[in-house]
């Protein structure tokens, strides 16, 4: 597979650390001058830009949080005049006010190159047809993938998300070779294509899927249904959107574009920086962004970093698949539950059930109720739904042994759980309303 920017992506670690240090020092200085909140936090910590000499001083710098973006909504954290901001994106998230981020020309160019790195890592080149099935709009997914495809010189197909039938027709007629969308939508497309017997008509070689957590088992199923190799890609609006990190052909973690973003793993409770390999909260510092730079941004994503050499030749550190978010974790009857644990169990069971599920949590008589609704397979449905209770019991047992508590499992009809073309909504927590 080719490497899009070999000089940057294979830079020896020593050189990379030097580059990061220079960029960090300059970024801190610029932000101290231009961003009021950052200056205030530095002053409160008794720090001056001159105290930061390189990456070895990173841990001294103050953290930043999603709440900061809400407090300074919409443009209060931008570090350049608005005339230099060429595009804004926004993320609504699942709770709270939307957040806004802005990019200069140089930022957009950097982002396009990062996504092109991810494309090149799948074997894509100027002869590829890149089907952009992420939403094109304020969400960063669509434009990130589109600009990356254009930067590479491939043919971009900016179809955006939604209208499954049109997606399938376009994919077949236009000869899409790389599919970019969320893994849950890829699964949905795969199911629909399989049902219509159109699998043979596809020209797909690779898929670049991200924006939500997904398991290895889901990867296997998507690969089987769409006959492609599925790659993971990670990003978040606050830092850049898709392409902050991406998988290479060895698929053993996602290479972080370390010439632009410095990752750290911290203990979310004590805020202490953890050693390489330890699992904790991912924190990012942008070191080249002009429009909306961030220092030590708390992503809330839980993962670990691997600095070992990768067989692909890239020297950039790999982060493993985020295992969930510190704010995604449900506490049900005192037990920590991550939606990804449930997905893993359902995928392992397979057979009569699909991995389409929704968790519904509520509180009745001061006790948490915990339901997991799972769609049965078309096969089971057409067989007349025999043995439904036995299957529900089997799932309950499997979930209980993984989670430590037993949910009430309800098998529901195929395709009855609402799907969105974007991210899947896996959790309904009605306790928050009470
Ligand atoms: O989801 C950016 C993106 C678009 C990434 C397309 C990849 C592909 P946000 O909407 O701001 O941005 O959501 C960011 O989504 O903090 C993670 O919790 C989650 N996330 C993103 N990629 C992955 C992934 C985009 N590959 C939040 N695996 C992040 C697991 C992911 N979680």
């Amino acid at each position: 597979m080719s490497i899009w920017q070999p000089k940057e992506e294979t830079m020896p670690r020593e050189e990379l650390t030097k580059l990061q240090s220079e960029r960090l020092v300059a970024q801190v200085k610029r932000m101290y001058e231009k961003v009021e909140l950052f200056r205030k936090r530095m002053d409160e910590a008794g720090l001056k830009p001159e105290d930061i000499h390189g990456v070895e001083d990173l841990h001294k710098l103050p953290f930043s949080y999603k709440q900061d973006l809400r407090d300074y909504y919409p443009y209060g954290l931008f570090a350049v005049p608005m005339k230099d901001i060429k595009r804004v994106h926004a993320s609504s998230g699942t709770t709270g006010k939307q957040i806004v981020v802005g990019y200069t020309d140089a930022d957009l160019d950097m982002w396009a190159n990062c996504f092109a790195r991810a494309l090149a890592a799948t074997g894509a080149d100027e002869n590829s047809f890149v089907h952009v099935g992420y939403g094109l709009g304020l969400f960063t997914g669509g434009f990130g993938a589109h600009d990356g495809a254009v930067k590479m010189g491939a043919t971009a197909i900016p179809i955006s998300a939604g209208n499954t039938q049109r997606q399938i027709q376009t994919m077949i007629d236009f000869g899409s070779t790389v599919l970019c969308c969320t893994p849950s939508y890829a699964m949905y497309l795969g199911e629909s294509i399989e049902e219509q017997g159109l699998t043979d008509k596809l020209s797909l070689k690779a898929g670049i899927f991200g924006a939500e957590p997904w398991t290895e088992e889901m990867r296997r199923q998507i690969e089987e249904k769409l006959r492609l190799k599925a790659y993971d890609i990670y990003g978040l609006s606050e830092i850049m959107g898709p392409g902050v990190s991406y998988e290479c052909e060895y698929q053993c973690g996602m290479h972080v574009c370390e010439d632009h973003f410095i990752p750290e793993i911290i203990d979310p409770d004590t805020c202490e920086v953890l050693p390489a390999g330890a699992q904790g909260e991912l924190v990012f510092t942008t070191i080249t962004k002009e429009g909306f730079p961030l220092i030590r941004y708390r992503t809330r994503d839980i993962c670990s970093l691997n600095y070992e050499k990768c067989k692909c030749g890239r020297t950039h550190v790999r982060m493993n698949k985020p295992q969930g978010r510190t704010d995604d974790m449900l506490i049900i009857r005192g037990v920590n539950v991550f939606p990804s644990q449930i997905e893993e169990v359902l995928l392992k069971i397979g057979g009569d059930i699909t991995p389409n599920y929704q968790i519904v949590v509520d509180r009745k008589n001061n006790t948490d109720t915990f339901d997991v609704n799972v769609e049965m397979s078309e096969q089971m449905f057409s067989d007349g739904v025999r043995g439904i209770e036995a299957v529900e019991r089997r799932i309950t047992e499997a979930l209980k042994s993984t989670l430590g508590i037993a949910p009430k499992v309800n098998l529901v009809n195929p395709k009855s759980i609402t799907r969105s073309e974007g991210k899947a909504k896996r959790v309904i927590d009605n306790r928050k309303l009470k």
Side-chain angles (χ1 to χ4, degrees):
M1 300 290 169
S2 73
I3 297 184
W4 180 246
Q5 293 180 301
K7 180 172 171 288
E8 290 83 356
E9 292 177 78
T10 64
M11 190 177 273
R13 171 101 352 227
E14 213 173 285
E15 224 179 288
L16 183 60
T17 307
K18 192 162 162 277
L19 178 73
Q20 288 179 324
S21 290
E22 284 164 14
R23 289 181 168 176
L24 176 68
V25 169
Q27 178 87 293
V28 167
K29 188 165 175 293
R30 193 165 56 237
M31 282 180 70
Y32 191 79
E33 282 162 18
K34 312 273 186 206
V35 185
E36 181 204 315
L37 176 68
F38 181 66
R39 189 167 49 247
K40 194 169 134 237
R41 293 240 167 99
M42 288 282 281
D43 290 346
E44 277 165 11
L47 280 171
K48 290 277 172 247
E50 304 77 71
D51 299 326
I52 305 303
H53 302 102
V55 287
E56 67 279 11
D57 294 325
L58 185 62
H59 69 279
K60 296 180 184 163
L61 291 165
F63 289 113
S64 46
Y65 308 86
K66 192 162 203 153
Q67 190 56 40
D68 299 338
L69 279 79
R70 299 208 170 101
D71 293 345
Y72 285 76
Y73 175 87
Y75 305 138
L77 297 175
F78 289 6
V80 297
M82 282 313 284
K83 72 172 177 45
D84 295 330
I85 295 286
K86 300 302 167 195
R87 199 160 86 210
V88 290
H89 279 283
S91 158
S92 50
T94 40
T95 48
K97 190 154 94 176
Q98 67 176 345
I99 53 151
V100 180
V101 295
Y103 300 82
T104 64
D105 275 332
D107 294 337
L108 290 172
D109 192 60
M110 179 272 282
W111 183 9
N113 271 312
C114 289
F115 200 94
R117 290 179 186 182
L119 278 169
T122 72
D125 58 21
E126 68 273 21
N127 299 308
S128 302
F129 292 81
V130 181
H131 190 99
V132 181
Y134 291 114
L136 276 147
L138 287 176
F139 174 55
T140 54
F143 275 100
H146 177 79
D147 286 356
V150 171
K151 173 64 81 181
M152 169 160 271
T155 306
I157 307 174
I159 187 164
S160 194
N163 198 342
T164 303
Q165 217 39 50
R166 183 156 168 257
Q167 297 270 354
I168 298 172
Q169 195 65 50
T170 306
M171 221 182 277
I172 294 170
D173 294 349
F174 294 13
S176 307
T177 57
V178 185
L179 171 64
C180 304
C181 64
T182 59
S184 55
Y185 194 52
M187 218 30 201
Y188 188 52
L189 279 170
E191 283 167 9
S192 306
I193 289 168
E194 214 171 47
E195 265 167 43
Q196 296 172 47
L198 295 171
T199 318
D200 285 342
K201 301 219 159 20
L202 296 173
S203 314
L204 293 171
K205 292 195 177 82
I208 304 187
F209 307 124
E212 62 187 7
W214 52 309
T215 55
E216 284 304 322
E217 182 54 29
M218 196 151 159
R219 185 196 315 252
R220 205 188 55 71
Q221 293 202 11
I222 293 172
E223 289 186 334
E224 195 182 291
K225 286 187 204 305
L226 290 169
R227 301 212 188 129
L228 48 68
K229 183 161 170 168
Y231 293 80
D232 202 355
I233 188 162
Y234 169 88
L236 64 164
S237 311
E238 300 90 307
I239 298 300
M240 186 190 72
V244 170
S245 67
Y246 59 90
E247 272 182 341
C248 66
E249 69 265 37
Y250 294 102
Q251 303 196 314
C252 44
M254 293 181 270
H255 290 282
V256 176
C257 292
E258 270 192 285
D259 47 337
H260 301 296
F261 315 108
I262 307 179
E264 297 170 276
I265 296 289
I266 63 160
D267 178 319
D269 298 322
T270 64
C271 299
E272 171 202 354
V273 179
L274 298 177
Q279 181 162 292
E281 182 181 339
L282 182 61
V283 171
F284 274 115
T285 296
T286 70
I287 48 174
T288 52
K289 266 176 75 183
E290 298 175 340
F292 179 47
L294 276 172
I295 299 281
R296 302 195 84 200
Y297 181 71
R298 304 275 302 257
T299 66
R300 303 273 167 206
D301 290 320
I302 302 161
C303 75
S304 60
L305 296 173
N306 178 358
Y307 285 90
E308 276 162 37
K309 225 171 156 179
C310 182
K311 281 188 279 194
C312 72
R314 290 176 185 81
T315 48
H316 292 182
V317 67
R318 284 164 287 159
M319 55 180 264
N320 71 354
K321 256 183 189 303
Q323 303 297 299
R325 295 174 54 81
T326 52
D327 48 4
D328 247 14
M329 187 182 77
L330 289 158
I331 302 181
I332 305 173
R333 291 176 223 143
V335 177
N336 298 349
V337 174
F338 285 99
S340 58
Q341 293 175 294
I342 293 178
E343 181 168 313
E344 225 158 285
V345 169
L346 297 180
L347 282 160
K348 259 192 217 137
I349 294 176
D352 289 329
I353 59 161
T354 69
N356 299 313
Y357 69 97
Q358 196 159 49
I359 304 164
V360 185
V361 193
D362 208 334
R363 181 162 290 141
K364 289 198 182 111
N365 304 325
N366 293 320
T367 311
D368 293 333
T369 62
F370 175 24
D371 281 52
V372 177
N373 299 329
V374 185
E375 283 182 9
M376 65 183 93
S377 66
E378 293 282 352
Q379 186 63 42
M380 183 178 194
F381 186 64
S382 56
D383 284 353
V385 200
R386 270 191 305 272
I388 196 165
E389 276 163 23
V391 178
E392 284 174 347
R393 250 197 323 274
R394 195 148 61 88
I395 304 171
T396 308
E397 279 311 310
L399 287 173
K400 188 177 166 199
S401 79
T402 299
L403 306 174
I405 52 168
K408 181 172 181 315
V409 172
N410 312 299
L411 276 187
V412 298
N413 290 350
K415 303 228 165 76
S416 62
I417 294 176
T418 316
R419 319 202 180 188
S420 70
E421 292 77 21
K423 307 190 190 208
K425 184 159 173 58
R426 298 295 192 200
V427 181
I428 300 182
D429 192 346
N430 292 321
R431 295 174 303 183
K432 288 187 187 144
L433 306 171
K434 299 193 168 158

